[in-house]
Structures are given as C-alpha cells and as structure tokens.
C-alpha cells in the first residue's frame, strides 16, 4: 500500500478521502510565531539548495552522497511532516478532476518551477499552469512575489476544463502537499522544468508514483506513437519489432497521459491494488 | 512525532553510487556584473541542459519585487552535473559574468 494511504487513507485512496480536505488541515501559525516564508516560495529555494548540495556531494564520493540524501529525507520528515522526503504524488486526470470537486477554494496560479528555470511570469489566466487548493490559498495576498500575476479563482467545472486542456498539451498532474496531510495544490509538470519531478527522477525523492499503471491492448493499438511522445518517465516505448506500444510497469508513474492521448483508446489505467507484484513499487 | 518505523518508505536512488565521486564543470558567476538575471535571462534560455535557475533574494511579506531592479534576483547554477561545457552561456552573456572551468 502507498505510505500515504496507510497513514491517511482510512481504507480508500488517501487523496480521495474527504477527511483530508477539511479546513482544519491547514495549521494556522500561533499569534506569537515569527512570520515564515510563503509555503510555495520556500520550495524552489529549498529545491535549489537541495539539488546543489546533492550535486556537490556527488563530487565528494558515495559516503558523502548517501549522508546528504539521508539528511534530506529525514529533514523533510521533520519539517514538512511528509514521509521519507516525498511531498507529492502523480495523479491521473480522472482523479485530479475528483480532487477539484472536493477541495475549495480553487485558484489558478503561476508555476514556481517555471519561474525559476525559465525566468517567466505566468501573469494571465491562460498562462497559468499551477493550481492552489484549499483554505491556505486565502492567505495569498500576503505574498505577492510568490503569487506574481495574482490568483484566478475558478469553480470546479472551470478547474476541470483547465486540467483537461493542460492534459491535452501533455502536462502530467501531481498533487502537492504543504505540510503533513495538507493537499495544497495540483501541479502540472514536465521533466526537466518541474523541480519536484527532477528531484524524483534524478535523485529518487519528492514525488511518489500514483495508484495506477498503464496497460496496452495490442489488438487496438495501431502503432501511431502518440503515447510515446507523452510519457515523461521513459516507461513507454515503441516496440518497433511488432509496431505496438510497450509499457514498463515498474517504471510507469500512472500519470495517465498515454491513456488520455491515445486516439484508439488502446491504453487503460489499471489499479495497482489489483497487481500483487506492484504493491511495493512506489 | 508519529512513529513511522513500520512504514515501508520507498528509497529509489537513480544515482549509481559505485561511479562516485564524479567530476563536474565548475561554473562561476560574477554577481557584480550579473545584477538583473530575471530580466536578462539569456543564459537560462541558451542552456540546453537547464543548468541555471533564478530565485528571488528579497522575498518579503506584502511586497512584489521588480525584476528590473538590480539585486532582486540571483542566478545560480543548480544542475551542474548535466553541464556539457558547450560554452553557449558564456557566449550569450552580455556582461561576461560566467566562467567555466573543468
Ligand atoms: S497512442 Fe494508442 S494507438 Fe497510438 S501507439 Fe500509443 S497505444 Fe497505440
Ligand atoms: S506509461 Fe503512461 S501512465 Fe505510465 S508514466 Fe508513461 S505516460 Fe504515464
Ligand atoms: S546571461 Fe549573464 S548577465 Fe544575463 S542572467 Fe545570465 S549570467 Fe546574468
Ligand atoms: S556550458 Fe553549455 S551546458 Fe554548461 S551551463 Fe553553459 S550553456 Fe549550459
């Protein structure tokens, strides 16, 4: 079982458990507490420092690298309350749509990773690629630098349409936690611009695989190759010998981009819970 | 603190420890020359390996910074491990602020 489900699932997929969306999930600071950096802005700063430290440690040797990695995993556990340094999880479009039905309010915002990597500001609503969920968003005005471009409030139907549009363009969806159990947003990512994804694919933490894996029906697949362009994880390759798509389910993150992109509905998402050998693959 | 010792936390590490230590290019940025990176962003756009990132140095409550104002942002080299030393960033930098050594 996924560690989050074990902790917070109450027998269901944890991010579909309504108990994980109430108001009190957001911990308000005590009145005497010192002001902290905006939750989101601290992250890329954190990622920048973490990535740099890991690269420096790789130059020093295996012991140094392992120690740095361990310190970060343990540190994330204490500071963020997230287990083993994982702060997010890949979610397919269908689950992201269920999440925006449960969470309120919903605000479209600029992506911090793209801001850091490309020095771009997503100032208008069509440019936005990130979404903040829940009561934490109501504090956004305190941090205009983090929320450059402001917040575009949307209804759950508008949010779904926005998610579908990003899905069509090839962004994979992931949820993002701000502190223990508090689902603070839905990211729409791609490698290498998304720092959380890069941390996972390059160093092995920050984002958990999702609850599904993709499967190809070879009778329906005509070998068009569209799905292969959409996989961010190197899990889906074209099997040129038989001219069909092939998915390595040990690598698959269950993002569902191949499924939503396939013009012949040849790919389906299968729940990992039904596949005993994938129970520990996260 | 919640006891999580019973949980099976995944620990996938794509880095091959047997290959360490590795050597990566050293990239120096002269911050007296590079003052408005969010506005200039030439190195960020030129680098195919996405080695550089910018971050806001003056994050403050109730304040939005102006990227044209010197010193509000800083460019840093993050993914040095991916640098191929193509020197494109050095060529495009209008301030000659970047030096790369190996
Ligand atoms: S997009 Fe669908 S039909 Fe095309 S190669 Fe992939 S699985 Fe086959
Ligand atoms: S194979 Fe499909 S579901 Fe799996 S990671 Fe790739 S695009 Fe996502
Ligand atoms: S190109 Fe040079 S001046 Fe421009 S942001 Fe990069 S380092 Fe700074
Ligand atoms: S030398 Fe090339 S790869 Fe290295 S940082 Fe500069 S542009 Fe990027």
């Amino acid at each position: 079982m996924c560690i989050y489900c074990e902790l917070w699932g109450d027998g269901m997929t944890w991010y579909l458990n309504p108990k994980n969306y109430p108001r009190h999930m957001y911990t308000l600071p005590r009145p005497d507490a010192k002001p902290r950096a905006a939750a989101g802005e601290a992250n890329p700063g954190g990622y920048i420092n973490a990535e740099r430290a890991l690269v420096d440690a790789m130059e020093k040797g295996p012991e140094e690298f392992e120690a740095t990695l361990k310190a970060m995993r343990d540190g994330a556990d204490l500071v963020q309350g997230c287990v083993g340094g994982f702060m997010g999880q890949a979610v397919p479009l269908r689950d992201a749509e269920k999440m925006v039905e449960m969470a309120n309010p919903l605000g479209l915002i600029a992506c911090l990773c793209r801001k850091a990597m490309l020095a771009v500001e997503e100032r208008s609503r069509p440019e936005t690629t990130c979404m903040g969920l829940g009561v934490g968003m109501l504090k956004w005005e305190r941090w205009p630098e983090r929320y450059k471009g402001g917040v575009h409030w949307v209804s759950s139907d508008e949010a779904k349409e926005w998610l579908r549009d990003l899905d069509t363009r090839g962004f994979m969806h992931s949820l993002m936690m701000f502190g223990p159990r508090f689902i603070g947003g839905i990211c729409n990512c791609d490698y290498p611009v998304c720092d959380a994804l890069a941390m996972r694919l390059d160093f092995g933490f920050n984002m958990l695989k999702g609850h599904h894996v993709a499967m190809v029906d070879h009778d329906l697949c005509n070998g068009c190759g569209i799905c292969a362009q959409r996989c961010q994880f190197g899990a889906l390759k074209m099997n040129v010998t038989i001219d069909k798509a092939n998915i390595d389910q040990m690598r698959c993150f269950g993002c569902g981009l191949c499924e939503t992109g396939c013009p012949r509905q040849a790919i389906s998402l299968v729940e990992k819970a039904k596949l005993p050998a994938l129970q520990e693959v996260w | 603190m919640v006891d999580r010792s019973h949980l099976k936390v995944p620990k996938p590490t794509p880095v091959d420890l047997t290959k360490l230590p590795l050597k990566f290019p050293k990239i120096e940025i002269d911050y007296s020359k590079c003052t408005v990176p969010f506005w200039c962003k030439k190195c960020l756009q030129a680098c195919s390996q996405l080695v550089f990132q910018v971050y806001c140095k003056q994050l403050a409550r109730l304040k939005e910074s102006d990227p044209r104002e010197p010193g509000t942002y800083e460019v840093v080299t993050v993914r040095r491990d991916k640098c191929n030393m193509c020197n494109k960033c050095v060529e495009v930098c209008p301030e000659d602020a970047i030096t790369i050594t190996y």
Side-chain angles (χ1 to χ4, degrees):
Chain A
M1 198 193 277
C2 141
I3 38 172
Y4 295 153
C5 288
E6 205 165 317
L7 283 167
W8 307 315
D10 299 331
M12 53 196 300
T13 307
W14 77 285
Y15 56 75
L16 299 179
N17 178 1
K19 279 193 193 159
N20 290 330
Y21 291 90
R23 291 165 55 89
H24 66 78
M25 300 301 306
Y26 195 77
T27 45
L28 290 167
R30 295 191 316 276
D32 55 338
K34 283 200 200 102
R36 287 179 305 173
E41 190 80 36
N43 260 331
Y47 284 150
I48 286 176
N49 292 336
E51 273 186 283
R52 294 177 92 192
L54 286 166
V55 172
D56 289 349
M58 276 161 82
E59 287 186 311
K60 288 190 188 121
E63 296 83 16
E64 181 78 21
F65 180 77
E66 276 192 304
T68 312
L69 204 56
K70 184 174 184 308
M72 279 176 196
R73 284 174 173 280
D74 294 354
D77 211 345
L78 291 172
V79 180
Q80 303 282 358
C82 303
V83 190
F86 291 94
M87 282 183 55
Q89 184 163 39
V91 280
L93 178 64
R94 57 170 89 160
D95 285 358
E97 289 186 359
K98 287 182 197 151
M99 287 169 71
V100 298
E101 265 174 19
M102 260 183 290
N104 202 302
L106 308 167
L108 309 184
I109 51 180
C111 163
L112 278 181
C113 295
R114 293 187 181 94
K115 184 178 159 198
M117 302 288 251
L118 309 168
V120 292
E121 296 173 6
E122 296 167 1
R123 281 199 171 267
S124 67
R125 184 179 148 172
E127 290 173 299
T128 53
T129 51
C130 189
M131 182 195 282
L133 316 172
V135 281
M137 281 304 292
L138 297 173
K139 296 207 229 169
W140 78 274
E141 277 168 315
R142 295 182 200 184
W143 302 100
E145 174 63 32
R146 190 269 168 251
Y147 296 103
K148 252 188 199 311
V151 174
H152 309 272
W153 302 107
V154 287
S155 68
S156 48
D157 283 345
E158 288 171 316
K160 283 186 206 168
E161 203 178 298
W162 175 85
L163 282 167
R164 280 185 219 122
D165 175 50
L166 287 165
D167 197 275
T168 312
R169 284 157 63 192
F171 290 92
M172 63 82 66
H173 321 283
S174 68
L175 65 84
M176 163 175 53
M177 268 199 282
F178 291 151
R181 213 174 172 176
F182 179 67
I183 299 170
I186 296 181
C187 301
N188 298 282
C189 318
D190 63 335
Y191 184 88
V193 171
C194 169
D195 240 334
L197 213 48
M199 286 294 266
R200 166 70 203 231
L201 294 176
D202 295 348
F203 299 114
F205 64 106
N206 249 320
M207 192 185 289
L208 222 52
K209 292 181 180 179
H211 287 258
H212 303 82
V213 283
M215 252 183 214
V216 191
D217 181 341
H218 278 181
D219 292 336
L220 290 173
C221 172
N222 66 359
C224 72
I226 292 172
C227 53
Q229 297 168 9
R230 286 167 67 85
C231 185
Q232 299 281 344
F233 301 96
L236 197 156
K237 298 251 160 51
M238 289 315 285
N239 190 341
V240 269
T241 323
I242 54 168
D243 199 18
K244 306 272 177 193
N246 173 270
I247 296 172
D248 178 348
Q249 294 185 334
M250 296 297 162
R251 280 197 194 185
C252 174
F253 271 60
C255 69
L257 278 190
C258 52
E259 184 212 21
T260 48
C262 176
R264 289 177 60 84
Q265 285 80 46
I267 299 178
S268 51
L269 286 184
V270 182
E271 276 180 48
K272 261 188 194 169
K274 296 195 180 122
L275 302 163
L278 288 174
Q279 290 315 299
E280 305 301 330
V281 181
W282 295 100
Chain B
M1 223 340 256
V2 192
D3 179 19
R4 291 176 180 147
S5 47
H6 69 288
L7 293 173
K8 280 189 193 149
V9 179
K11 291 202 167 107
T13 308
V15 177
D16 183 355
L17 293 173
T18 60
K19 293 222 174 89
L20 301 184
L22 287 166
K23 194 177 164 208
F24 305 124
K26 297 253 178 302
I27 308 171
E28 300 281 339
I29 295 164
D30 184 341
Y31 292 114
S32 63
K33 292 177 181 167
C34 171
T35 53
V36 285
F38 199 98
W39 197 244
C40 164
K41 64 183 117 178
K42 294 225 160 41
C43 54
L44 286 102
Q45 289 167 340
C47 180
S48 59
Q49 299 294 93
L50 274 81
V51 168
F52 302 96
Q53 292 192 29
V54 284
Y55 74 101
C56 179
K57 276 176 81 182
Q58 301 175 348
L59 185 71
R61 232 168 213 247
L62 303 175
K63 187 178 165 285
E64 181 172 349
S65 66
D66 181 353
R68 284 164 293 188
E69 205 177 289
T72 49
Y73 278 82
E74 192 167 80
V75 60
V76 281
T77 53
V78 180
R79 301 191 188 154
R80 221 159 35 82
D81 55 328
K82 307 214 187 272
C83 171
N84 58 13
M85 291 194 78
C86 65
N87 267 344
K88 286 211 177 91
C89 55
V90 176
E91 283 160 24
V92 296
C93 179
E95 307 290 338
D96 290 330
I98 307 174
T99 32
I100 304 187
T101 48
Y102 188 66

